[in-house]
Amino acid sequence: AQTVTQSQPEMSVQEAETVTLSCTYDTSENNYYLFWYKQPPSRQMILVIRQEAYKQQNATENRFSVNFQKAAKSFSLKISDSQLGDTAMYFCAFESGTSYGKLTFGQGTILTVHP
Amino acid sequence: DVKVTQSSRYLVKRTGEKVFLECVQDMDHENMFWYRQDPGLGLRLIYFSYDVKMKEKGDIPEGYSVSREKKERFSLILESASTNQTSMYLCASSIRTAPDTQYFGPGTRLTVL
């Protein structure tokens, strides 16, 4: 079974600065996908970014980018130019290539952006 | 925009009651999921369904059952609610082909007294 670990329960950052959230995972599979989801306070969870394991290039979505280290089984999220609206709980998630879309989530990291 | 709705935002029930949580999606998605979210544990999958009348156990199915009679609707049933089922319940949907974004509902915060 796969496991996903987020070792930072809480993080904080000043507005306009850069922050990196950590995620490690454990799997014996070679074909899989990794995701970061964001859950703002009292709002619905939404997808931030995703990475296919077969792609060597790190995914980027505007101010959000990942550092995917397949051999180390590490998948960190970097948020550049942090904004107040980035304040949220962030979840790292793993999907096997054969799982009908079933996700395994990490414990979550609460990120607070301070003005 | 994809919309996933859940029948209640907040629910208070008594121990032993039968509880129904309903989820509806409007994007004709094949897959639907029920998670519970607890502090320090993240989201844990209870049940999922990849087609009408199909269901598969997730990681923590004990004490729960599900029903999917129509493609757009996925119900979670607590046959006899217990206090350890007090939690936030999230529904999600996605198309079948991986990798696909899961679209989440707003959640139901269930308290069992």
Side-chain angles (χ1 to χ4, degrees):
Chain A
Q2 292 84 14
T3 59
V4 178
T5 303
Q6 294 177 248
S7 58
Q8 304 155 316
E10 295 187 40
M11 296 277 287
S12 64
V13 65
Q14 293 296 126
E15 201 174 5
E17 292 187 348
T18 296
V19 64
T20 299
L21 308 184
S22 301
C23 173
T24 58
Y25 59 95
D26 189 22
T27 184
S28 58
E29 299 185 21
N30 198 46
N31 179 29
Y32 55 87
Y33 311 94
L34 296 162
F35 304 81
W36 279 98
Y37 279 85
K38 169 185 177 181
Q39 186 180 41
S42 301
R43 293 178 61 190
Q44 286 168 245
M45 184 114 67
I46 57 172
L47 177 70
V48 175
I49 197 165
R50 72 180 180 206
Q51 174 83 40
E52 290 84 349
Y54 63 85
K55 290 187 178 178
Q56 293 188 342
Q57 188 172 5
N58 289 324
T60 300
E61 289 286 343
N62 300 314
R63 298 182 295 107
F64 298 87
S65 61
V66 299
N67 183 7
F68 173 49
Q69 301 289 327
K70 191 172 184 179
K73 295 180 181 174
S74 170
F75 182 62
S76 60
L77 174 69
K78 185 171 87 170
I79 306 174
S80 304
D81 186 27
S82 297
Q83 300 176 358
L84 297 179
D86 296 333
T87 291
M89 173 88 84
Y90 288 81
F91 291 97
C92 178
F94 173 100
E95 178 183 342
S96 163
T98 58
S99 70
Y100 284 114
K102 178 182 167 184
L103 293 176
T104 300
F105 284 86
Q107 301 89 335
T109 297
I110 299 172
L111 175 67
T112 304
V113 180
H114 297 285
Chain B
D1 275 354
V2 175
K3 194 167 184 183
V4 180
T5 57
Q6 295 182 228
S7 50
S8 306
R9 287 302 302 269
Y10 299 94
L11 207 54
V12 180
K13 296 292 182 180
R14 297 232 174 249
T15 301
E17 280 192 79
K18 191 169 186 175
V19 181
F20 293 87
L21 302 182
E22 301 228 313
C23 174
V24 177
Q25 51 94 2
D26 67 358
M27 280 301 290
D28 202 36
H29 284 169
E30 288 86 0
N31 296 341
M32 295 189 76
F33 307 85
W34 274 108
Y35 297 92
R36 62 177 283 176
Q37 180 179 358
D38 299 288
L41 297 177
L43 277 70
R44 292 177 292 165
L45 182 64
I46 304 171
Y47 267 96
F48 67 103
S49 168
Y50 53 89
D51 205 346
V52 176
K53 297 192 186 296
M54 304 301 289
K55 60 184 179 184
E56 294 286 339
K57 292 180 180 179
D59 300 317
I60 52 164
E62 297 79 17
Y64 303 93
S65 62
V66 291
S67 172
R68 192 164 182 203
E69 296 296 320
K70 294 185 178 181
K71 191 174 185 179
E72 68 271 17
R73 189 179 297 268
F74 192 35
S75 301
L76 180 68
I77 303 156
L78 287 66
E79 295 289 343
S80 177
S82 64
T83 55
N84 63 12
Q85 293 178 310
T86 291
S87 186
M88 171 70 86
Y89 290 87
L90 295 176
C91 175
S93 71
S94 71
I95 63 173
R96 182 170 296 167
T97 308
D100 186 56
T101 302
Q102 286 197 13
Y103 294 88
F104 284 81
T108 295
R109 185 164 295 282
L110 173 67
T111 301
V112 183
L113 301 174

